Amino acid sequence: MKKFTVYRLLFTMSTGICIFLVILSGVEGFAQNASDTSKSFFSLKQAIDYAMQNQHTIKNALLDEQIAENKVKEIVGIGLPQINGSFDVKDFIEIPTSLIPGEIFGAPPGTYIGVKFGTKYSSSVGIDASQLIFSSDYLVGLQATKTYLDLTKKATQRTKIETSVAVTKAYYSVLLNEERMKLVEDNVTRLKKLMDDTQILNANGFAEKIDLDRITVTYNNLLVEKEKIHRMMDLGIALLKFQMGMQQTVSLTLTDKLADVKLDVTSSADKVNYPNRIEYSLLETQRNAAKLQLKKDKLSYLPNMALYGAINANAYRQEFNIFDTKKSWYPTELIGVRIGVPIFSGGQKHYRIQQSKLGLIKSENNMEFIQQSIDLEVASAKANLQNASASLETQKKNIELAEEIYKVAKLKYEQGVGSNLEVLNAETSLKESQTNYFSALYDALISKVDYDKANGTIK
């Protein structure tokens, strides 16, 4: 009875513990889900940081870096000792025949007698090793590995810059559509009130039905435009997620505001720092590679030297007892030095040097060209940003004027001294001013991104 009570008590305790663990895991899961939900709120910087970790193009670029690092180690391994082992077993179904002069056995001069030498089974086992002592190709190749690795890293940096630019533009587009939606909703609210007021006036005989119809048509068109903007917002979010490398099923909310974006042109960009541009840096690395190629070709006239050695043992048997330790094995050991001296190659080395020299000149020309291109790009981006900023300021003033005109027209209409058509014209002008404003704002935002990219401030 006591045992039963103890078992029952233990069962109850274990059940309670299990329930507690289930509840605890549920709380932890809820906390985790809450944490995941919090991650759906992104500033522009957080969106770029997320893309740096999740964008597939960046992931592949980082994999290319790892491939390059392993390639460098592979090249370094060429200069390390090379050791190989071998084991060979032969079963001569028909022992090879050798010819010896017949005169040895009393045959007529000029005749030969076939004789079989050797055993049915033979085996050999050995180890050979070599060590490169001097090779100009290898020495220059070691120097080139650093350039090769640097080139790969800069290619990754270029991918990151392109991703950052794409994420920034997509982020700004979403913010822009959000602002457009707010204004359209305000327009819908304002026009809905005007339509309701006109409907009351029409019912009381103070407004014609045609006035109500005009407003209704404008109101319906505005609702269609609102739906279009809503779909554009969804598309913009989808594009931003794609640029970030985020799953489309994840909820995403932006925390930055358009008012926080500074569109001013900094004076520090008057003098371009070319190395800040990844394109220029890549060409610098390519020029270094061209210099190493020329150096390699010039040193190809030097001899190369390698040390080698080998230990082998051979066994010969009439029966297949190769591994019988009582039978003899015949060892061979050797060491040597191999020196290769280039003497004449038909002028190939000379013409390779000429090609490398021309390639280096071409690299220098590319450096000059990219400097000119960067100068032009910076000047163009600066002018575009200044023009876009000026146009944006003008459109802001136009919106203020259009809003004032609409207020006056609506007030006149309500007081009976203005027409319904005048109000609709003012509404149309206001809507056009808003459209022009957002177009100018988009141009200014894109110009700002292009300007920062041209000056190499986006990393």
Side-chain angles (χ1 to χ4, degrees), residues 401-447:
L401 290 174
E403 289 177 345
E404 184 64 27
I405 292 173
Y406 177 81
K407 290 179 182 179
V408 171
K410 187 173 181 297
L411 181 61
K412 290 172 61 179
Y413 177 70
E414 291 173 347
Q415 294 176 352
V417 294
S419 66
N420 172 271
L421 187 60
E422 186 179 0
V423 176
L424 290 180
N425 288 336
E427 171 70 26
T428 301
S429 298
L430 176 58
K431 179 182 174 183
E432 182 180 353
S433 298
Q434 292 171 348
T435 300
N436 293 337
Y437 168 77
F438 283 113
S439 178
L441 180 57
Y442 178 79
D443 291 341
L445 292 171
I446 298 303
S447 297

Side-chain angles (χ1 to χ4, degrees), residues 84 99 107 136 220 261 282 299-300 307 311 375 401 412 420 454:
N84 298 288
L99 298 179
S136 60
N220 291 336
V261 182
L282 278 168
L299 294 178
S300 63
L307 177 67
I311 299 176
D375 289 339
L401 290 174
K412 290 172 61 179
N420 172 271

